[in-house]
């Protein structure tokens, strides 16, 4: 079936009877990636958190926002229904896994070294072979380094830790997004910008990611509220607050996975087993 057909079904589902909607509340999770998202005194904060709360207010929603380690947050979004994960760098892999709404922000994935290093004349193949690069484990930045053939990747538990390793000399470079790199070094204890970009790898677009099985009405409310915030000028004001002179993305985009599971809502429900059948059930041997 075509992507257009899935889009039509997605737009029509919110108009269906309320019994089609999920019976479970949306769980909203994010990570520690300042200044986009982070935790401060037990509360979620950051540019994308401010935007999420603006959307919630506009749509009369009130779910709390949890700050979790990235691997745990991502695993929840991949394996559980009714989960909203942000922010997610949009790429072909995530387009197959999630319903994406955004962009929240646009940036650039790049490699950074200490400002005292001069790698301008080093051939790219030498950089890929010899440069030790710290990167937040399991992220899009980690993935792109592997795809580009970098050999000495050093996975770490946070982007701030990567910045600390660079300044201590344990690695020669880090890979992250231009939107956050200055804040990472500030939080690592460096008030000036002691880094320089040596190689741009890809443009990045950050999105809200809704897990498979999330109620279509919920997704529709978030999309509609996001569009209204952009039309009202609130989004552009928020963008300038956090990113100064960077240009805010103008439109809200919706990306659906190829075989959207919402179509399964129209299927015939599974047969409910009778008591006699349940009594005959034997659990499989555990291995």
């Amino acid at each position: 079936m075509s992507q257009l057909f899935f889009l039509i079904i997605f737009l029509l589902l919110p108009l269906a009877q309320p019994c089609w909607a999920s019976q479970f509340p949306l769980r909203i999770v994010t990570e520690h990636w300042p200044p986009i998202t982070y935790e401060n005194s037990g509360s979620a904060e950051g540019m994308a958190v401010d935007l999420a709360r603006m959307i919630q207010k506009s749509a009369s929603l009130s779910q709390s926002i949890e700050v979790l380690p990235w691997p745990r947050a991502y695993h929840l979004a991949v394996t559980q229904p009714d989960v909203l994960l942000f922010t997610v760098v949009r790429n072909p892999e995530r387009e197959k896994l999630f319903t994406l709404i955004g962009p929240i922000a646009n940036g650039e994935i790049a490699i950074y070294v200490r400002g005292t290093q001069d790698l301008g004349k080093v051939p790219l193949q030498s950089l890929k072979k010899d440069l030790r690069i710290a990167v937040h484990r399991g992220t899009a930045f980690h993935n792109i380094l592997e795809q580009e053939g970098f050999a000495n990747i050093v996975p770490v538990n946070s982007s701030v830790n990567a910045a600390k390793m660079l300044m201590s000399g344990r690695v020669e470079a880090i890979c992250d997004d231009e939107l956050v790199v200055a804040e990472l070094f500030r939080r690592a204890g460096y008030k000036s910008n002691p880094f320089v970009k040596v190689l741009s790898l890809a443009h990045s677009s950050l999105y809200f990611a809704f897990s498979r099985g999330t109620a279509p009405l919920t997704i529709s409310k978030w999309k509609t509220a996001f569009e209204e915030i952009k039309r009202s000028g609130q989004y552009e004001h928020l963008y300038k607050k956090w990113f100064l002179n960077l240009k805010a993305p103008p439109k809200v985009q919706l990306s659906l996975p190829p075989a959207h599971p919402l179509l399964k809502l129209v299927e015939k429900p599974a047969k409910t087993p009778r008591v006699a059948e349940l009594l005959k059930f034997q659990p499989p041997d555990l291995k």
Side-chain angles (χ1 to χ4, degrees), residues 94-155:
R94 276 85 180 271
E95 289 173 353
K96 297 176 183 178
L97 295 173
F98 307 113
T99 296
L100 302 173
I101 295 178
I104 297 171
N106 288 332
E108 182 182 73
I109 301 173
I111 293 176
Y112 297 86
V113 300
R114 282 177 291 175
T116 55
Q117 289 182 276
D118 183 11
L119 302 178
K121 296 182 179 180
V122 179
L124 177 58
Q125 290 304 316
S126 295
L127 291 178
K128 289 184 175 183
K129 180 181 177 181
D130 301 324
L131 198 65
R132 289 179 300 165
I133 307 175
V135 64
H136 193 176
R137 179 183 287 106
T139 61
F141 318 122
H142 190 172
N143 293 342
I144 198 169
L145 287 176
E146 292 179 333
Q147 292 168 5
E148 293 293 328
F150 285 87
N152 286 330
I153 303 171
V154 183

Side-chain angles (χ1 to χ4, degrees), residues 135-263:
V135 64
H136 193 176
R137 179 183 287 106
T139 61
F141 318 122
H142 190 172
N143 293 342
I144 198 169
L145 287 176
E146 292 179 333
Q147 292 168 5
E148 293 293 328
F150 285 87
N152 286 330
I153 303 171
V154 183
V156 297
N157 291 330
S158 76
S159 294
V160 174
N161 285 344
K164 291 179 179 179
M165 291 180 67
L166 176 64
M167 299 310 296
S168 67
R170 295 171 62 189
V171 295
E172 288 88 40
I174 67 168
C175 179
D176 218 295
D177 199 292
E178 66 172 355
L179 294 171
V180 307
V181 66
E183 180 66 11
L184 297 180
F185 280 93
R186 189 186 73 81
R187 288 176 177 263
Y190 299 90
K191 295 182 179 180
S192 60
N193 292 343
F195 58 87
V196 61
K197 179 168 63 177
V198 294
L199 184 63
S200 296
L201 298 178
H203 292 293
S204 63
S205 291
L206 309 179
Y207 277 69
F208 293 110
F210 294 85
S211 66
R212 290 181 178 270
T214 301
L217 181 59
T218 297
I219 298 173
S220 179
K221 285 182 177 180
W222 275 76
K223 180 176 181 291
T224 300
F226 194 1
E227 290 171 334
E228 176 56 34
I229 288 169
K230 286 207 172 187
R231 283 193 297 267
S232 69
Q234 297 178 75
Y235 171 74
E236 187 172 359
H237 178 76
L238 177 69
Y239 210 82
K240 288 182 178 179
K241 170 188 172 182
W242 287 93
F243 301 129
L244 299 178
N245 297 322
L246 293 182
K247 187 176 180 180
K251 296 181 180 180
V252 176
Q253 299 180 21
L254 171 70
S255 172
L256 299 175
H260 206 285
L262 296 177
L263 293 175

